[in-house]
Amino acid sequence: MQQLPSPQVLTDVLPSVIFELGQRFVDSGFELSLVGGPVRDLFLGRVSPDLDFTTSASPDETLAAVKGWADATWEVGRDFGTIALRKGEHTIEVTTYRADAYDPSSRKPIVAFGEKLEDDLYRRDFTMNAMALRLPGLELVDPYNGAIDLSVGEVRTPGTPSMSFSDDPLRMMRAARFASQLGIDVADEVRTAMTEMADRIKIISAERVRDELVKLINGIDPRAGIDLLVETGLADIVLPEVSALRLEIDEHHRHKDVYQHSLTVLEQAMQLESDADGPVPSPDFVLRFAALMHDIGKPATRKFEPSGAVSFRHHDVVGAKQVKARMRALRFDNDTTKAVARLVELHMRFYGYGDAGWSDSAVRRYVHDAGDLLQRLHRLTRSDVTTRNKKKADRLSFAYDDLETRIGEISEQEEMAAVRPDLNGQQIMELLDIKPGPVVGRAYNFLLERRLDNGPIDADEAVSALREWWAQQPESDQQ
């Protein structure tokens, strides 16, 4: 970990609005400090886009101090001591020193304003976020040794972990998130408190848990964060399907450790993400979460065969349903939920190709079914190979190389990513002289299936095929 840069360097790298604002508060007779994540990030060699400040001024005094300087102010967080403002391109939050208490049945604080910066820092989640820079002189205030904890790579709390997590149980999720984002560990006492108090996460809203989970999955080391959730029991509550992957290994070791396999698939999927200009820019939550969840249907479908082998038939379909249910419980949006579930459902499709090869029709269906998820499906399928048998791994890799080559060749001949029937719904209704309804949908699906099987045909052939199909439908006799 880097040390805090010198005041001269900080003056050069930090936005000038920080110093302008600090001087205004000092001139008004108040203290102002840059606090929390922005200070932590300076130790990590980066400048945070967030600008959070804490002050001895009350909300009214803050408004008076920035009057005529800020371009705009907002008082939505006034009851919690926070005044938001905009200066140029910067959005800034200034919060009065706090010394909050919490209702044990809720994560909402009972707001009490404090008088000292050190007291305000004590109420923060972790020591690495309980550092401040007094302005405008840039004096570091670090009463709880956050810089030391950051340098040794440990997450600690300013007070006792049990008190911190009792006050705000979401901090347990944040601990796992920071383990992932920063590639660091949590102190033993923090891990113990998380284990003992995991059940308190139930009072946190699903939306807040979801937001922390997304940040964890998108971190540089999500395996560390997920392991922490599983080991402490938090995953039993917020992501129980992942905890359930720790299947009991049968005595003959005839199936993989599904949990460790899933974490390896996640890591391998991350390595296949593209840069910002590529098809799957890193970090890609949909790909990563699908990689983690792709085998969650296995515990429910595990079967010991008479031969002693272990099977997981249809775990892909079962898993897709489980993913939908879990993501809906966590209040994910519909598009993200559908995308992850679809990848889980399709992740086994390739193995039929690897075993016997596919017709052009099957290749078309693979592309059609994947739709705009095709690039992610390529990466998920390749990541799912974790065997130590090099010959088997090479065979699967070669087979998928061949499949991608064939997709490319057929795509050159057809617009496979947007395969549609050769006639649209309006043309179907006009040709058959029918009104909108289920029959149109059936005709459309017939033409789509024909298109996938045989490739594109000209308009006359499509009309002829449609009329032939229509002659066999019971509705045709009613006209």
Side-chain angles (χ1 to χ4, degrees), residues 27 56 140 157 211 216-217 254 296 352 367 391 434 455 467:
D27 291 345
S56 59
L140 177 65
T157 55
D211 291 347
L216 185 160
I217 296 296
R254 296 192 181 181
I296 64 169
V367 175
K391 287 186 177 180
I434 58 177
R467 293 193 184 283

PDB file of all heavy atoms in Angstrom, residues 27 56 140 157 211 216-217 254 296 352 367 391 434 455 467:
ATOM      1  N   ASP A  27     -12.766  30.593   7.264  1.00  0.00           N
ATOM      2  CA  ASP A  27     -13.066  32.028   7.337  1.00  0.00           C
ATOM      3  C   ASP A  27     -14.367  32.300   8.078  1.00  0.00           C
ATOM      4  O   ASP A  27     -14.548  33.375   8.662  1.00  0.00           O
ATOM      5  CB  ASP A  27     -13.146  32.634   5.928  1.00  0.00           C
ATOM      6  CG  ASP A  27     -11.788  32.666   5.234  1.00  0.00           C
ATOM      7  OD1 ASP A  27     -10.760  32.491   5.923  1.00  0.00           O
ATOM      8  OD2 ASP A  27     -11.764  32.853   3.993  1.00  0.00           O
ATOM      9  N   SER A  56     -17.798  21.051  11.695  1.00  0.00           N
ATOM     10  CA  SER A  56     -18.366  21.448  12.989  1.00  0.00           C
ATOM     11  C   SER A  56     -19.577  22.350  12.803  1.00  0.00           C
ATOM     12  O   SER A  56     -20.299  22.637  13.761  1.00  0.00           O
ATOM     13  CB  SER A  56     -17.303  22.190  13.817  1.00  0.00           C
ATOM     14  OG  SER A  56     -16.840  23.349  13.107  1.00  0.00           O
ATOM     15  N   LEU A 140      -3.441  15.169   8.416  1.00  0.00           N
ATOM     16  CA  LEU A 140      -4.087  13.864   8.514  1.00  0.00           C
ATOM     17  C   LEU A 140      -4.548  13.617   9.936  1.00  0.00           C
ATOM     18  O   LEU A 140      -3.778  13.745  10.890  1.00  0.00           O
ATOM     19  CB  LEU A 140      -3.119  12.752   8.090  1.00  0.00           C
ATOM     20  CG  LEU A 140      -3.658  11.313   8.216  1.00  0.00           C
ATOM     21  CD1 LEU A 140      -4.827  11.071   7.267  1.00  0.00           C
ATOM     22  CD2 LEU A 140      -2.543  10.289   7.968  1.00  0.00           C
ATOM     23  N   THR A 157     -12.599  -2.323  12.645  1.00  0.00           N
ATOM     24  CA  THR A 157     -13.593  -1.308  13.001  1.00  0.00           C
ATOM     25  C   THR A 157     -13.001  -0.371  14.050  1.00  0.00           C
ATOM     26  O   THR A 157     -12.179  -0.788  14.873  1.00  0.00           O
ATOM     27  CB  THR A 157     -14.863  -1.966  13.554  1.00  0.00           C
ATOM     28  OG1 THR A 157     -14.510  -2.824  14.658  1.00  0.00           O
ATOM     29  CG2 THR A 157     -15.556  -2.795  12.485  1.00  0.00           C
ATOM     30  N   ASP A 211     -27.104  -4.036  -3.645  1.00  0.00           N
ATOM     31  CA  ASP A 211     -26.093  -3.068  -4.076  1.00  0.00           C
ATOM     32  C   ASP A 211     -24.696  -3.456  -3.605  1.00  0.00           C
ATOM     33  O   ASP A 211     -23.715  -3.324  -4.343  1.00  0.00           O
ATOM     34  CB  ASP A 211     -26.449  -1.666  -3.574  1.00  0.00           C
ATOM     35  CG  ASP A 211     -27.686  -1.100  -4.257  1.00  0.00           C
ATOM     36  OD1 ASP A 211     -28.117  -1.674  -5.278  1.00  0.00           O
ATOM     37  OD2 ASP A 211     -28.228  -0.086  -3.755  1.00  0.00           O
ATOM     38  N   LEU A 216     -19.386  -6.238  -4.715  1.00  0.00           N
ATOM     39  CA  LEU A 216     -18.504  -7.363  -4.367  1.00  0.00           C
ATOM     40  C   LEU A 216     -18.172  -8.183  -5.612  1.00  0.00           C
ATOM     41  O   LEU A 216     -16.997  -8.488  -5.876  1.00  0.00           O
ATOM     42  CB  LEU A 216     -19.192  -8.234  -3.311  1.00  0.00           C
ATOM     43  CG  LEU A 216     -18.425  -9.406  -2.705  1.00  0.00           C
ATOM     44  CD1 LEU A 216     -19.067  -9.806  -1.370  1.00  0.00           C
ATOM     45  CD2 LEU A 216     -18.381 -10.631  -3.610  1.00  0.00           C
ATOM     46  N   ILE A 217     -19.194  -8.551  -6.367  1.00  0.00           N
ATOM     47  CA  ILE A 217     -18.987  -9.377  -7.561  1.00  0.00           C
ATOM     48  C   ILE A 217     -18.113  -8.657  -8.579  1.00  0.00           C
ATOM     49  O   ILE A 217     -17.309  -9.271  -9.278  1.00  0.00           O
ATOM     50  CB  ILE A 217     -20.341  -9.753  -8.193  1.00  0.00           C
ATOM     51  CG1 ILE A 217     -21.164 -10.641  -7.243  1.00  0.00           C
ATOM     52  CG2 ILE A 217     -20.149 -10.469  -9.531  1.00  0.00           C
ATOM     53  CD1 ILE A 217     -20.550 -11.983  -6.938  1.00  0.00           C
ATOM     54  N   ARG A 254     -16.368 -38.993  -6.800  1.00  0.00           N
ATOM     55  CA  ARG A 254     -16.740 -39.095  -8.213  1.00  0.00           C
ATOM     56  C   ARG A 254     -17.412 -37.833  -8.746  1.00  0.00           C
ATOM     57  O   ARG A 254     -17.948 -37.844  -9.842  1.00  0.00           O
ATOM     58  CB  ARG A 254     -17.645 -40.311  -8.417  1.00  0.00           C
ATOM     59  CG  ARG A 254     -16.913 -41.608  -8.096  1.00  0.00           C
ATOM     60  CD  ARG A 254     -17.674 -42.820  -8.549  1.00  0.00           C
ATOM     61  NE  ARG A 254     -16.968 -44.045  -8.216  1.00  0.00           N
ATOM     62  CZ  ARG A 254     -17.402 -45.261  -8.525  1.00  0.00           C
ATOM     63  NH1 ARG A 254     -18.533 -45.405  -9.171  1.00  0.00           N
ATOM     64  NH2 ARG A 254     -16.703 -46.316  -8.184  1.00  0.00           N
ATOM     65  N   ILE A 296     -26.038 -23.804  -9.509  1.00  0.00           N
ATOM     66  CA  ILE A 296     -26.817 -23.848  -8.261  1.00  0.00           C
ATOM     67  C   ILE A 296     -27.960 -24.848  -8.317  1.00  0.00           C
ATOM     68  O   ILE A 296     -28.536 -25.197  -7.277  1.00  0.00           O
ATOM     69  CB  ILE A 296     -27.365 -22.458  -7.861  1.00  0.00           C
ATOM     70  CG1 ILE A 296     -28.355 -21.931  -8.907  1.00  0.00           C
ATOM     71  CG2 ILE A 296     -26.223 -21.483  -7.603  1.00  0.00           C
ATOM     72  CD1 ILE A 296     -29.106 -20.699  -8.434  1.00  0.00           C
ATOM     73  N   GLY A 352     -23.392 -30.848 -26.188  1.00  0.00           N
ATOM     74  CA  GLY A 352     -23.889 -31.692 -27.261  1.00  0.00           C
ATOM     75  C   GLY A 352     -23.066 -31.537 -28.523  1.00  0.00           C
ATOM     76  O   GLY A 352     -22.825 -32.490 -29.263  1.00  0.00           O
ATOM     77  N   VAL A 367     -27.173 -19.670 -31.665  1.00  0.00           N
ATOM     78  CA  VAL A 367     -27.011 -18.221 -31.768  1.00  0.00           C
ATOM     79  C   VAL A 367     -28.319 -17.515 -31.489  1.00  0.00           C
ATOM     80  O   VAL A 367     -28.361 -16.508 -30.762  1.00  0.00           O
ATOM     81  CB  VAL A 367     -26.479 -17.838 -33.166  1.00  0.00           C
ATOM     82  CG1 VAL A 367     -26.431 -16.321 -33.331  1.00  0.00           C
ATOM     83  CG2 VAL A 367     -25.095 -18.433 -33.379  1.00  0.00           C
ATOM     84  N   LYS A 391      -5.816 -33.332 -21.771  1.00  0.00           N
ATOM     85  CA  LYS A 391      -6.362 -33.815 -23.038  1.00  0.00           C
ATOM     86  C   LYS A 391      -7.843 -33.469 -23.160  1.00  0.00           C
ATOM     87  O   LYS A 391      -8.313 -33.037 -24.222  1.00  0.00           O
ATOM     88  CB  LYS A 391      -6.166 -35.334 -23.152  1.00  0.00           C
ATOM     89  CG  LYS A 391      -4.721 -35.744 -23.412  1.00  0.00           C
ATOM     90  CD  LYS A 391      -4.625 -37.248 -23.653  1.00  0.00           C
ATOM     91  CE  LYS A 391      -3.189 -37.651 -23.981  1.00  0.00           C
ATOM     92  NZ  LYS A 391      -3.072 -39.117 -24.214  1.00  0.00           N
ATOM     93  N   ILE A 434     -56.508 -13.119 -41.722  1.00  0.00           N
ATOM     94  CA  ILE A 434     -56.893 -13.348 -40.327  1.00  0.00           C
ATOM     95  C   ILE A 434     -56.576 -12.100 -39.501  1.00  0.00           C
ATOM     96  O   ILE A 434     -55.796 -11.250 -39.910  1.00  0.00           O
ATOM     97  CB  ILE A 434     -56.165 -14.568 -39.729  1.00  0.00           C
ATOM     98  CG1 ILE A 434     -54.632 -14.376 -39.811  1.00  0.00           C
ATOM     99  CG2 ILE A 434     -56.603 -15.842 -40.423  1.00  0.00           C
ATOM    100  CD1 ILE A 434     -53.847 -15.510 -39.172  1.00  0.00           C
ATOM    101  N   GLY A 455     -32.400 -22.051 -42.983  1.00  0.00           N
ATOM    102  CA  GLY A 455     -31.804 -20.808 -43.428  1.00  0.00           C
ATOM    103  C   GLY A 455     -32.823 -19.966 -44.180  1.00  0.00           C
ATOM    104  O   GLY A 455     -33.990 -20.339 -44.304  1.00  0.00           O
ATOM    105  N   ARG A 467     -48.813 -21.125 -46.718  1.00  0.00           N
ATOM    106  CA  ARG A 467     -50.133 -21.601 -47.176  1.00  0.00           C
ATOM    107  C   ARG A 467     -50.279 -23.105 -46.947  1.00  0.00           C
ATOM    108  O   ARG A 467     -51.345 -23.598 -46.582  1.00  0.00           O
ATOM    109  CB  ARG A 467     -50.322 -21.265 -48.656  1.00  0.00           C
ATOM    110  CG  ARG A 467     -50.435 -19.759 -48.927  1.00  0.00           C
ATOM    111  CD  ARG A 467     -50.926 -19.494 -50.340  1.00  0.00           C
ATOM    112  NE  ARG A 467     -50.944 -18.081 -50.655  1.00  0.00           N
ATOM    113  CZ  ARG A 467     -51.871 -17.212 -50.238  1.00  0.00           C
ATOM    114  NH1 ARG A 467     -52.867 -17.639 -49.457  1.00  0.00           N
ATOM    115  NH2 ARG A 467     -51.808 -15.942 -50.596  1.00  0.00           N
TER     116      ARG A 467
END
